[in-house]
Amino acid sequence: ANTWRTGGDIRDNWKSLKSRLLSQDKWAPFAGPGHWNDPDMLVVGYVGWGHGEHPSKLTADEQYTHISAWCLLSVPLLLGCDLTKLDPFTLNLLTNDEVLALNQDPLGKQATIVSRDGDNWIIMAKELADGSIAAGLFNTGDSGDQEITLNWDALHLNTAYVVRDLWRQKNLGTFNKTFTAKVPQHGVVLISLQKVK
């Protein structure tokens, strides 16, 4: 087989999505070109079947988290929505080339959790084929916005890196040792780290 499920059916709610974020590390050793883990389809856009069709019950921030995590995890991006009812927000989620590049990176590594604070937040990261690092700072708590700090030590880095916001497609500056971002509840800041030349 080229791909296999790593859990039960996903639902378009935070409890279901969060459970996927916290349970994929054990499958990382089995991921790579030609063999992919699959935590189930994407539940963004207009989802459901028959009389149960409805807009995703995930908030906008939760949908950013969903797409970011699936791209970091290098898993199949299987659309579970009605393509005839794509709205501009969902289309934007599914067509950001810099975000999709994480999923399609030829190295094929699956991101793992490199840092966490209980149920409050996690940081997932992976190496990319060009030598850069991709990381997602995920606010998994239920208490509003949080400041989350990525420490270079968690990635075994020791030099300056240019940090780029992949959703906004803009460089945020050069950072050394740490990067801190304010992350909305159930949301994400998705970045890449490129070594300063």
Side-chain angles (χ1 to χ4, degrees), residues 18-81:
K18 181 178 177 180
S19 72
R20 299 307 197 283
L21 299 179
L22 303 178
S23 64
Q24 300 305 304
D25 279 12
K26 62 186 175 184
W27 306 112
F30 306 103
H35 39 99
W36 309 105
N37 299 316
D38 174 20
D40 206 7
M41 66 185 181
L42 297 167
V43 284
V44 298
Y46 209 78
V47 299
W49 297 267
H51 297 296
E53 289 186 78
H54 60 274
S56 177
K57 294 176 184 174
L58 295 174
T59 68
D61 284 319
E62 290 167 355
Q63 291 182 64
Y64 277 113
T65 286
H66 189 11
I67 300 297
S68 298
W70 263 231
C71 287
L72 282 167
L73 292 169
S74 299
V75 301
L77 299 180
L78 305 173
L79 301 182
C81 61

Side-chain angles (χ1 to χ4, degrees), residues 23 27 36 45 47-48 50 54 57 60 79 88 90 92 100 107 119 121 125 146 161 164-165 176:
S23 64
W27 306 112
W36 309 105
V47 299
H54 60 274
K57 294 176 184 174
L79 301 182
T90 306
N92 174 68
L100 292 176
L107 192 59
D119 280 340
W121 55 261
Q146 292 192 71
Y161 282 78
R164 183 170 179 81
D165 184 319
N176 197 354

Side-chain angles (χ1 to χ4, degrees), residues 107-184:
L107 192 59
K109 284 209 169 186
Q110 175 176 311
T112 56
I113 296 173
V114 297
S115 187
R116 72 181 295 169
D117 177 23
D119 280 340
N120 294 316
W121 55 261
I122 63 170
I123 298 175
M124 297 169 56
K126 71 174 180 178
E127 299 172 31
L128 301 175
D130 66 359
S132 60
I133 306 288
L137 286 63
F138 295 92
N139 179 348
T140 52
D142 300 320
S143 303
D145 296 353
Q146 292 192 71
E147 283 201 344
I148 301 175
T149 297
L150 170 61
N151 286 291
W152 272 208
D153 287 348
L155 302 173
H156 309 291
L157 305 177
N158 58 11
T159 188
Y161 282 78
V162 175
V163 174
R164 183 170 179 81
D165 184 319
L166 298 179
W167 280 111
R168 293 175 177 82
Q169 299 193 351
K170 68 175 184 178
N171 289 341
L172 301 178
T174 301
F175 296 81
N176 197 354
K177 297 186 179 180
T178 64
F179 169 77
T180 300
K182 185 176 182 180
V183 185

Side-chain angles (χ1 to χ4, degrees), residues 2 11 14 36 68 80 82 104-105 129 144 161 171-172 187 195:
N2 293 103
R11 297 285 183 260
W14 176 244
W36 309 105
S68 298
D82 185 339
Q104 299 294 302
D105 186 70
Y161 282 78
N171 289 341
L172 301 178
K195 188 179 291 187

